[in-house]
Amino acid sequence: MKAVILTAGEGTRMRPLTVTKPKTMLQVGGKPILQYNVESLRDAGIKDITMVVGYREEIIKDHFIDGTHLDVNINYVTQEERLGTAHAIGSTRGAVEGSFIVLNGDIIVDPILIKDLIKKYQADNARSVLVLTEVDDPSSFGVVELDEDRITNIIEKPKPGEAPSNLINAGIYLFDNQIFDAIDQTEKSQRGEYEITDSLLIQMKNDEKVLGLRSKNNWIDIGRPWELLDVNEHFLKDLKTDIQGELEEGVIIHGPVFIGKNTIIRSGTYIMGPVYIGEDCDIGPNTLLRKYTSLGNNVSAGNAVEIKNSIIMDHTNVNHLTYVGDSIIGSKCNIAAGTNIANLRFDDGNVKIRVKGDRIDSGRRKMGVVFGDGVKTGINSSFNPGVKIGVNSRIGAGAIVSKDLESNKVLIPLQEHHIITNKDKN
């Protein structure tokens, strides 16, 4: 059995985090999202993996190479044009033979679920099998209608209140090579894409056996920035203490922590695990790291910094007297001294975040900011809950930021007003 992972897309709903890297390469719990899927496939006994890549594919290839270091064999197929899931799967023709599993790269799946999928396929002599799961709001997914375990219809993204059930396609499939025949017959959808669900409808029309497997195991979909915090918490809950770096005298640790090689935790630092700290980090002195914080490699957090339930990516500096709560901070950022990131609204309501032009309820009472790579803040700057700052933008000293800022902008506070300019390319 082989596997295909679809990881060619950008993930526009995750901007600005995906301006500089694919969504599947965003890190949670110390690893890229994509690596969890590779390890789940491996742990389920599948070691031959084809990745369908496209957007910033070099980042994926540089990290995974041929997969040897993860005890798998990885090869790559480039999807030159991103024309839908059927088009992506069709691009693997010749790279996979016989039966094969397909995963969307932006979900995280338990290896037990993969084993159950294989058992279902083999026991019932199916043509195709889809993993199904129930959600509260199915309007953003493909909703499935069943007759016992046989799928009779798939409705893509029904309007709110019009879905026949809350049972959705989880984006995990098992096919044989005849799926390519159905893909050849698939026409573009109203969205202008070749949808694998339309290919499956062709199989159903031809009375092929297309079955659904209800998921009883972990299945996590990551589509919007705040969901990274949920997944990070999910994985850190199982963290085991492993201290490979140096602890100075006076460091206090409660709960499980991972501390990578060549990392130094300076005197007076207090860590409330579970907390993940990567390699070559410099933390403290007198820093407070609270539960579900994940720091990448080469991260520094200076004197009297407090970080709570946040993801700080590689090569970012969080300077002294700064508070970061419930936030996602990209790579190569510099958070200046005295920066304060608010994570709670005055009215105690859920924090809303703008996604693709619409303000979306995150469902989170506490949510800080989302910074793209290369953001720099000035001293004593402050940020309201739910603010997004684009890649390489600069925030002047003393600014109070209550609205999103696009990439490559400079925000300068001038008395009671802010001036936004394009960043000088020089």
Side-chain angles (χ1 to χ4, degrees):
M1 184 74 67
K2 296 185 177 182
V4 171
I5 302 179
L6 307 181
T7 181
E10 173 188 343
T12 53
R13 290 186 299 167
M14 299 293 283
R15 288 178 179 169
L17 299 170
T18 54
V19 172
T20 50
K21 58 177 72 73
K23 176 170 71 170
T24 57
M25 291 304 292
L26 297 173
Q27 291 195 357
V28 292
K31 300 177 188 177
I33 294 168
L34 189 54
Q35 186 167 328
Y36 287 101
N37 279 338
V38 170
E39 292 175 355
S40 288
L41 289 166
R42 178 198 63 198
D43 294 345
I46 300 173
K47 294 192 174 184
D48 290 317
I49 299 170
T50 296
M51 290 188 181
V52 180
V53 295
Y55 177 73
R56 295 194 175 271
E57 62 184 84
E58 70 283 355
I59 295 174
I60 296 172
K61 291 178 177 179
D62 287 349
H63 180 84
F64 290 99
I65 316 175
D66 63 358
T68 303
H69 62 295
L70 295 173
D71 195 27
V72 295
N73 306 308
I74 296 177
N75 62 81
Y76 302 91
V77 172
T78 299
Q79 187 185 16
E80 298 291 350
E81 294 183 272
R82 265 75 82 189
L83 297 177
T85 49
H87 182 264
I89 295 167
S91 69
T92 67
R93 192 193 309 257
V96 292
E97 297 178 357
S99 303
F100 60 99
I101 287 175
V102 176
L103 304 178
N104 288 333
D106 57 356
I107 62 175
I108 294 178
V109 59
D110 193 298
I112 296 174
L113 180 57
I114 297 171
K115 292 179 180 179
D116 289 344
L117 178 60
I118 295 171
K119 289 178 183 177
K120 177 75 173 176
Y121 176 82
Q122 293 173 339
D124 292 347
N125 193 30
R127 179 67 68 203
S128 300
V129 183
L130 286 68
V131 173
L132 311 177
T133 192
E134 289 190 5
V135 296
D136 294 332
D137 179 10
S139 61
S140 298
F141 302 94
V143 178
V144 172
E145 294 183 78
L146 284 178
D147 181 4
E148 294 183 349
D149 64 348
R150 189 155 184 165
I151 297 174
T152 59
N153 196 17
I154 304 173
I155 304 168
E156 277 296 328
K157 299 183 178 179
K159 294 180 181 179
E162 296 184 4
S165 74
N166 286 359
L167 200 60
I168 67 160
N169 170 18
I172 307 166
Y173 313 89
L174 203 161
F175 300 124
D176 65 18
N177 271 50
Q178 290 197 25
I179 192 64
F180 295 117
D181 296 333
I183 289 173
D184 288 341
Q185 301 172 52
T186 302
E187 298 180 354
K188 281 187 177 181
S189 67
Q190 292 182 347
R191 296 193 302 168
E193 296 184 350
Y194 298 98
E195 313 274 6
I196 194 61
T197 48
D198 289 339
S199 305
L200 290 164
L201 289 170
I202 290 171
Q203 289 190 327
M204 294 176 213
K205 184 178 179 180
N206 293 332
D207 204 29
E208 301 284 0
K209 188 183 285 188
V210 179
L211 303 182
L213 171 67
R214 292 175 184 259
S215 170
K216 297 180 181 178
N217 301 98
N218 291 329
W219 172 89
I220 304 171
D221 179 49
I222 307 170
R224 295 164 298 189
W226 58 88
E227 291 168 347
L228 289 172
L229 295 179
D230 298 331
V231 177
N232 187 63
E233 179 177 339
H234 169 80
F235 283 108
L236 289 189
K237 282 180 178 177
D238 295 327
L239 189 69
K240 300 293 190 295
T241 294
D242 184 0
I243 299 175
Q244 301 175 17
E246 176 187 350
L247 304 181
E248 289 187 347
E249 184 177 356
V251 172
I252 298 175
I253 296 175
H254 287 288
V257 298
F258 177 93
I259 299 174
K261 296 177 182 177
N262 302 316
T263 285
I264 183 168
I265 310 297
R266 299 191 181 277
S267 180
T269 294
Y270 194 108
I271 303 177
M272 305 166 62
V275 166
Y276 179 96
I277 304 171
E279 299 180 355
D280 301 299
C281 296
D282 192 334
I283 309 301
N286 306 312
T287 289
L288 173 59
L289 301 181
R290 294 169 60 185
K291 282 185 176 182
Y292 306 121
T293 288
S294 181
L295 309 182
N297 299 327
N298 293 284
V299 170
S300 69
N303 179 52
V305 165
E306 179 178 350
I307 304 175
K308 176 240 177 189
N309 187 35
S310 294
I311 299 171
I312 312 290
M313 299 185 190
D314 297 349
H315 301 283
T316 284
N317 301 320
V318 184
N319 291 288
H320 53 283
L321 301 172
T322 288
Y323 175 74
V324 180
D326 301 276
S327 296
I328 303 159
I329 308 295
S331 302
K332 299 179 181 177
C333 295
N334 191 74
I335 311 303
T339 297
N340 281 294
I341 294 173
N343 60 347
L344 183 66
R345 289 166 50 114
F346 279 143
D347 62 5
D348 215 28
N350 288 349
V351 175
K352 295 183 178 180
I353 298 180
R354 192 167 295 280
V355 177
K356 296 185 73 171
D358 297 321
R359 286 186 64 78
I360 305 295
D361 185 345
S362 69
R364 297 182 66 94
R365 177 173 164 267
K366 290 191 175 182
M367 179 71 207
V369 300
V370 179
F371 285 0
D373 291 352
V375 170
K376 292 186 177 180
T377 72
I379 60 170
N380 298 322
S381 52
S382 298
F383 296 82
N384 283 2
V387 166
K388 294 166 65 177
I389 304 297
V391 169
N392 294 327
S393 284
R394 306 287 186 263
I395 310 298
I400 300 174
V401 185
S402 58
K403 296 182 179 179
D404 294 355
L405 188 66
E406 295 178 357
S407 296
N408 300 303
K409 300 291 184 182
V410 177
L411 187 151
I412 303 170
L414 182 61
Q415 295 179 351
E416 296 180 358
H417 302 283
H418 288 158
I419 297 175
I420 299 175
T421 65
N422 291 318
K423 195 180 73 171
D424 186 346
K425 294 181 179 180
N426 296 321

